């Protein structure tokens, strides 16, 4: 699209970043993002919570503070009771309250397929924006949540997921990335993105491209839900993982030692996934220690930023 240049647009469409950033003055810039999707769990209240944690995540990934939100709802009022909608919105509201974000409005349309999400507005200091474009050679990479939500959600749809597996992904998906965002800023993060629909490899690819660097990923260090490994070996792989592989495999060199189930998981589309943070090597272990204390039990150093080959991710 021919998008006119605007000097106040600090982060626009060019770098496939998490949210748009618009400078209001020397002290304040707006961070704006929108996200909505179809239910991935059966319980409407939980779905509402996941949708909010997911929508706020793009603001947290940019080092911003979310302030206000608008509900976006597509609802099949002819086939579903309005009490379901009420539960979804109450679930959403509970997470917005936890995050200290004000719900200021919304819009509902009738649709045969239920969808819920939000448009979120936050603020950030114009000099403190964290994009995916400033990862530096020598940085370490920290991932804050485990991978495998897409695989376990696929198993759930097929009636094959254990209660324990579902409990684990729900706990992870409803968790806000707020504390991780605050901590990474305290430890001087250079770049960040959140892991969502394009999977770990897709979002890491956007980071290497935007930052003009390469990455080494140590697959053994990647946090993964144990059940996701089990289900991947049974072939319960979501369609989105295949499209992610098609689109991003040109960016990836996988070492021959890496088992194929692991690469499948690296392409698994995530909902409300964790943050991928690039920060100075001396700070990485300290950040992980802090994150673990704050409740991100799976936070791990998963690799490092290298100079060559530029634009590529080496999976060891
Ligand atoms: Co994002
Ligand atoms: Co998004
Ligand atoms: Co309206």
């Amino acid at each position: 699209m021919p998008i006119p240049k605007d000097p106040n647009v600090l982060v626009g469409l060019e770098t496939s970043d998490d949210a748009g950033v618009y400078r209001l003055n020397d002290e304040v810039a707006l961070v704006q993002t929108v996200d909505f999707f179809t239910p991935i769990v059966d319980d409407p209240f939980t779905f509402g919570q996941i949708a909010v944690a997911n929508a706020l995540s793009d603001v947290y990934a940019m080092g911003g503070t979310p302030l206000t939100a608008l509900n976006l709802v597509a609802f099949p009022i002819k086939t579903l009771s309005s009490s379901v909608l009420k539960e979804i919105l109450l679930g959403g509201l509970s997470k917005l309250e936890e995050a200290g974000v004000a719900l200021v409005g919304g819009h509902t349309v009738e649709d045969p397929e239920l969808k819920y999400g939000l448009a979120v507005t936050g603020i950030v200091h114009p000099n403190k924006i964290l994009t995916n474009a400033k990862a530096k050679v020598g940085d370490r990479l920290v991932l804050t949540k485990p991978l495998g939500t897409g695989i376990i959600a696929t198993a759930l749809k097929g009636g094959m997921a254990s209660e324990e597996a579902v409990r684990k992904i729900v706990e992870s998906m409803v968790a806000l990335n707020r504390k991780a965002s605050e901590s990474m800023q305290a430890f001087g993060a250079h770049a960040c993105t959140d892991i969502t629909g394009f999977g770990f490899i897709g979002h890491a690819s956007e980071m290497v491209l935007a930052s003009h660097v390469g990455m080494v990923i140590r697959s053994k260090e990647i946090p993964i839900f144990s059940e996701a490994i089990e289900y991947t070996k049974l072939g319960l792989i979501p369609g989105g993982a295949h499209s992610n592989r098609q689109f991003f495999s040109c960016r990836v060199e996988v070492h021959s030692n890496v088992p194929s189930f692991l690469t499948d998981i690296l392409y698994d589309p995530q909902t409300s996934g964790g943050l991928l943070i690039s920060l100075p090597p001396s700070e990485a272990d300290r950040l992980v220690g802090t994150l673990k204390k704050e409740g991100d039990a799976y936070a791990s150093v998963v690799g490092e930023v290298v100079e060559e080959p530029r634009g590529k991710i080496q999976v060891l």
Side-chain angles (χ1 to χ4, degrees):
M1 287 184 289
I3 296 165
K5 285 263 177 274
D6 179 333
N8 288 318
V9 174
L10 303 180
V11 180
L13 289 162
E14 301 80 14
T15 53
S16 313
D17 224 309
D18 294 302
V21 183
Y22 186 88
R23 184 188 166 283
L24 291 179
N25 55 47
D26 288 347
E27 304 289 316
V28 186
L30 287 179
V31 186
Q32 295 183 289
T33 179
V34 59
D35 245 304
F36 62 102
F37 47 77
T38 56
I40 61 161
V41 291
D42 295 330
D43 178 56
F45 189 89
T46 306
F47 171 53
Q49 292 187 309
I50 294 169
V52 167
N54 183 70
L56 296 179
S57 177
D58 281 330
V59 178
Y60 292 132
M62 302 209 69
T65 306
L67 295 179
T68 62
L70 301 164
N71 278 331
L72 299 167
V73 185
F75 196 78
I77 195 66
K78 293 193 182 96
T79 54
L80 265 187
S81 153
S82 62
S83 65
V84 172
L85 177 56
K86 190 176 170 190
E87 280 298 301
I88 293 172
L89 298 180
L90 283 174
L93 195 57
S94 74
K95 272 290 146 185
L96 290 171
E97 279 177 11
E98 181 188 331
V101 174
L103 181 68
V104 293
H107 191 78
T108 307
V109 295
E110 196 186 329
D111 190 312
E113 191 173 31
L114 169 57
K115 299 172 193 85
Y116 173 56
L118 305 97
V120 180
T121 301
I123 51 169
V124 68
H125 191 288
N127 300 337
K128 292 181 181 159
I129 304 164
L130 272 164
T131 68
N132 60 11
K134 295 217 170 113
K136 289 191 172 60
V137 173
D139 277 0
R140 291 280 155 76
L141 296 161
V142 170
L143 178 63
T144 66
K145 287 185 187 179
L147 302 181
T149 60
I151 291 156
I152 293 174
T154 302
L156 176 63
K157 277 197 192 113
M160 295 182 65
S162 71
E163 263 177 47
E164 176 64 4
V166 176
R167 190 195 60 73
K168 279 190 203 166
I169 59 163
V170 164
E171 184 184 84
S172 177
M173 291 187 295
V174 302
L176 296 174
N177 283 330
R178 177 177 54 178
K179 283 183 182 163
S181 174
E182 290 166 1
S183 301
M184 74 169 169
Q185 294 174 70
F187 285 102
H190 290 145
C192 179
T193 191
D194 59 341
I195 307 299
T196 53
F198 295 145
F200 180 87
I201 292 287
H203 293 284
S205 293
E206 289 175 338
M207 195 181 274
V208 292
L209 282 178
S211 299
H212 309 286
V213 294
M215 271 182 196
V216 171
I217 299 301
R218 303 188 188 282
S219 58
K220 285 194 188 104
E221 307 298 328
I222 295 267
I224 300 168
F225 296 107
S226 53
E227 292 87 348
I229 297 174
E230 215 179 291
Y231 302 153
T232 306
K233 289 177 176 167
L234 295 173
L236 295 168
I237 297 164
H242 295 295
S243 3
N244 285 343
R245 184 188 284 269
Q246 262 177 353
F247 201 74
F248 295 108
S249 59
C250 58
R251 301 256 147 240
V252 185
E253 288 163 10
V254 183
H255 193 272
S256 57
N257 288 355
V258 177
S260 66
F261 73 82
L262 251 168
T263 43
D264 287 331
I265 293 168
L266 290 175
Y267 287 110
D268 182 40
Q270 304 299 289
T271 300
S272 191
L275 300 182
L276 175 65
I277 302 161
S278 183
L279 80 171
S282 56
E283 305 298 309
D285 288 327
R286 294 173 61 208
L287 173 63
V288 166
T290 301
L291 291 172
K292 283 187 193 284
K293 255 183 244 155
E294 285 169 348
D296 285 315
Y298 292 88
S300 311
V301 179
V302 298
E304 59 258 1
V305 177
V306 294
E307 190 159 7
E308 300 285 346
R310 219 169 283 240
K312 295 264 185 197
I313 299 165
Q314 300 169 68
V315 181
L316 306 185

